[in-house]
Amino acid sequence: MTQRHLAREVLARLRAKGHRGGTIATHRAIWRLSLPRGRLWGSVALALGLSLALWWLRPWVGRFWGMQLLWWMQVLALPGRFDLGGAGVATHELFAVSVPSIELVQAVPDDWAPVWHGAALTMLWWCTSWLPEPAKPIAFFVRLGVLIHAAAVLFFAFWPASFVHSIGSHVISGMRQAWYLILLTPWIHLATFYLFPFAMWQRTLLTVLTAAYLAVLTPLQYALHVALVQAAGLILLPVLHLLFGVMLAIVGFVALYGWGMSWPAPSASGDREAA
């Protein structure tokens, strides 16, 4: 054995050692994933079955959302007109859900509102610089919101009449986005969760919990949007749409997925194959 060959063997052994001499295990992200055909076809069947169940439930989902919005508008005494079936489903929209229509009666906009909003944004930007280092991600998120709202403030300061969106269109589009995310949940989980060796009940549970979370969050979220717009005006609509619309639902979606990935998978090989 030549000295060069010996050196290569030593380097190969050292490459798998940590700085304390322990062996560095292969990270789970680069393990070879065994994908039996039974698990693959079972996962596809599960995603299809859950999608059909969600599609079948869409009339009740739309009715539940409408009743929740109506209840909150009555409790908060928000002036306006509410139509439970105002934004119905067209015949060609096979997967759409019927969402409520809202026409909010708003007060005359305050001409000084952009000034007050601009002052508050300046103060908020300055305050984020005082956050400690571990809270920097929060500071970045807050400053992103400040930039988005600052753009809206400038728009409303110079071209307020050019803003064509309304709280009604915001609620309709936001709820439909949430519904399409619910419909896509089984297929997103198929590509990111079902293919791992989890039991069938674990796959089903994660998808059901995620869909339930989105179904409950959506009416509460947009009822809050309606109340905020009634209090502060349409100037809040851009930041509500971009940061606290479907983005909020996606954050919760990812959080539930991370929780599901921490579940222990069946340890027995028979359970893994059956899964």
Side-chain angles (χ1 to χ4, degrees):
M1 181 180 295
T2 64
Q3 187 174 3
R4 186 175 181 179
H5 185 71
L6 181 61
R8 286 181 178 178
E9 286 190 353
V10 173
L11 288 175
R13 289 196 298 268
L14 291 176
R15 192 177 292 116
K17 298 292 183 181
H19 70 284
R20 294 183 178 179
T23 302
I24 302 175
T26 304
H27 193 274
R28 64 178 183 178
I30 57 176
W31 283 345
R32 179 178 176 85
L33 178 63
S34 176
L35 187 60
R37 288 187 178 181
R39 186 193 306 163
L40 176 61
W41 291 114
S43 299
V44 172
L46 176 61
L48 182 60
L50 290 173
S51 295
L52 290 175
L54 290 170
W55 179 82
W56 180 74
L57 288 172
R58 65 178 184 153
W60 289 274
V61 172
R63 192 172 298 115
F64 169 72
W65 286 356
M67 292 173 61
Q68 285 293 308
L69 272 180
L70 176 60
W71 187 84
W72 280 108
M73 288 188 68
Q74 292 174 344
V75 169
L76 298 174
L78 298 176
R81 189 178 67 85
F82 181 88
D83 186 0
L84 187 60
V89 180
T91 55
H92 65 278
E93 295 178 333
L94 182 61
F95 299 103
V97 65
S98 179
V99 295
S101 175
I102 293 177
E103 292 183 10
L104 199 62
V105 178
Q106 295 181 270
V108 178
D110 183 7
D111 294 337
W112 285 90
V115 177
W116 307 132
H117 282 261
L121 291 175
T122 303
M123 181 64 67
L124 189 58
W125 183 282
W126 178 74
C127 288
T128 55
S129 62
W130 293 89
L131 291 176
E133 193 66 28
K136 286 300 182 184
I138 298 177
F140 294 149
F141 178 79
V142 171
R143 288 189 172 185
L144 175 62
V146 168
L147 291 175
I148 294 174
H149 192 49
V153 169
L154 289 175
F155 184 90
F156 275 85
F158 294 101
W159 309 283
S162 300
F163 192 76
V164 297
H165 303 284
S166 66
I167 185 61
S169 63
H170 169 72
V171 170
I172 290 173
S173 64
M175 283 191 158
R176 285 188 170 170
Q177 287 175 4
W179 169 247
Y180 289 132
L181 181 59
I182 291 175
L183 277 184
L184 287 173
T185 296
W187 301 99
I188 297 174
H189 284 166
L190 170 63
T192 60
F193 186 76
Y194 292 174
L195 300 183
F196 290 95
F198 290 101
M200 186 66 74
W201 69 267
Q202 291 174 309
R203 303 174 210 166
T204 306
L205 179 61
L206 180 63
T207 301
V208 170
L209 287 177
T210 304
Y213 153 75
L214 294 172
V216 173
L217 170 71
T218 300
L220 300 177
Q221 177 184 5
Y222 287 97
L224 179 60
H225 286 194
V226 172
L228 290 174
V229 169
Q230 171 62 25
L234 291 173
I235 195 171
L236 283 182
L237 210 53
V239 71
L240 290 177
H241 176 73
L242 293 175
L243 279 189
F244 300 101
V246 71
M247 182 66 69
L248 183 62
I250 292 174
V251 169
F253 188 107
V254 174
L256 286 172
Y257 169 76
W259 177 51
M261 286 298 292
S262 69
W263 294 347
S267 56
S269 59
D271 292 341
R272 289 177 181 268
E273 292 300 324

